[in-house]
């Protein structure tokens, strides 16, 4: 668990590598870790994200002009991995029984209605019987209602988000494992 705690906050940030290699993002800008009271650390990541080609009903497709890419922002909150981004002294005092919780909330800025919802991904790492257990949830949080005529778009966005997250799961785990390996060195 100590290696995982270190891996979650080590530079280069594993999530940026995941965005670049798995999600084909570019113009990635990461912000420094800051202390996030009371539980841990927080940082932001901005990038340009190619949008997937989503089959839309003809009526919705005619009314929307979906760009090929969007500005994409992720706010990352990390608890259970210390509160001092500049040193590792605080890691020694964290018991292995304490889970590491990573919550990432993302938003698309240029996509039609992209600012109406957030994609929230929660990963909980805990000490298991034979290693580290990972539980992962992905959900769409609506911060503003879609116009009535575009109500069907809600289901499309939610199902596409879940489908994309399932496809990306193995890559996500691969980059976390790589970060843990790098943190050992």
């Amino acid at each position: 668990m100590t290696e995982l705690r270190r891996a979650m906050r080590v530079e280069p940030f594993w999530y940026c590598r995941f965005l670049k290699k798995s999600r084909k993002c570019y113009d990635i800008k990461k912000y420094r870790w800051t202390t996030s009271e009371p539980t841990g650390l927080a940082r932001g990541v901005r990038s340009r994200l190619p949008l997937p080609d989503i089959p839309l009903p003809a009526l919705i497709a005619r009314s929307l002009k979906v760009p090929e890419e969007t500005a994409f922002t992720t706010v990352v909150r990390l608890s259970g991995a210390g509160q001092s981004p500049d040193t590792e002294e605080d890691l020694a005092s964290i018991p292995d029984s304490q889970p590491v919780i990573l919550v990432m909330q993302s938003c698309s800025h240029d996509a039609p209605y992209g600012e109406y919802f957030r994609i929230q991904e929660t990963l909980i790492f805990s000490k298991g019987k034979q290693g580290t257990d990972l539980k992962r949830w992905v959900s769409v949080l609506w911060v503003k209602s879609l116009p009535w005529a575009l109500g069907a778009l809600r289901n499309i966005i939610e199902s596409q988000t879940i489908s994309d997250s399932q496809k990306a799961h193995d890559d996500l785990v691969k980059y976390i494992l790589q970060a843990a390996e790098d943190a050992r060195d």
Side-chain angles (χ1 to χ4, degrees):
M1 288 296 290
T2 300
E3 289 171 1
L4 179 66
R5 293 177 210 290
R6 186 178 298 119
M8 286 291 111
R9 60 191 217 177
V10 74
E11 299 298 337
F13 188 36
W14 67 270
Y15 182 65
C16 294
R17 287 186 281 185
F18 166 75
L19 288 176
K20 183 177 182 179
K21 302 285 186 184
S22 181
R23 294 298 204 185
K24 308 298 184 226
C25 292
Y26 64 97
D27 285 346
I28 300 170
K29 295 174 182 74
K30 63 182 182 227
Y31 298 90
R32 291 183 180 163
W33 285 112
T34 60
T35 300
S36 174
E37 295 296 333
T39 60
L41 300 169
R43 82 182 314 170
V45 177
R46 290 181 168 251
S47 66
R48 298 289 305 169
L49 170 73
L51 290 172
D53 189 20
I54 302 171
L56 296 171
L59 180 62
I60 293 175
R62 280 194 298 269
S63 67
L64 297 178
K65 291 186 179 179
V66 179
E68 291 182 14
E69 62 183 39
T70 184
F72 189 71
T73 300
T74 302
V75 176
V76 180
R77 292 185 310 270
L78 178 63
S79 64
Q83 289 187 315
S84 178
D86 299 321
T87 71
E88 293 187 10
E89 294 170 7
D90 59 341
L91 294 179
S93 64
I94 303 171
D96 272 356
S97 60
Q98 182 176 344
V100 175
I101 302 170
L102 181 71
V103 178
M104 298 182 288
Q105 203 171 85
S106 303
C107 163
S108 298
H109 303 287
D110 307 334
Y113 303 102
E115 298 220 9
Y116 281 49
F117 64 95
R118 306 291 183 262
I119 299 170
Q120 182 166 300
E121 195 165 356
T122 304
L123 292 87
I124 299 177
F125 302 89
S126 57
K127 185 174 181 174
K129 292 182 181 184
Q130 295 182 352
T132 303
D133 292 335
L134 168 62
K135 293 180 184 173
R136 179 174 175 243
W137 295 267
V138 176
S139 58
V140 176
L141 307 174
W142 292 91
V143 295
K144 187 174 179 183
S145 296
L146 289 169
W148 176 84
L150 295 174
L153 187 57
R154 180 182 174 121
N155 291 336
I156 294 168
I157 289 169
E158 290 175 357
S159 65
Q160 186 70 39
T161 297
I162 300 304
S163 174
D164 285 352
S165 73
Q166 289 171 339
K167 290 176 191 170
H169 180 80
D170 290 343
D171 274 353
L172 186 73
V173 170
K174 177 177 90 174
Y175 285 99
I176 292 169
L177 290 172
Q178 182 63 52
E181 213 172 281
D182 293 348
R184 271 188 220 129
D185 299 338

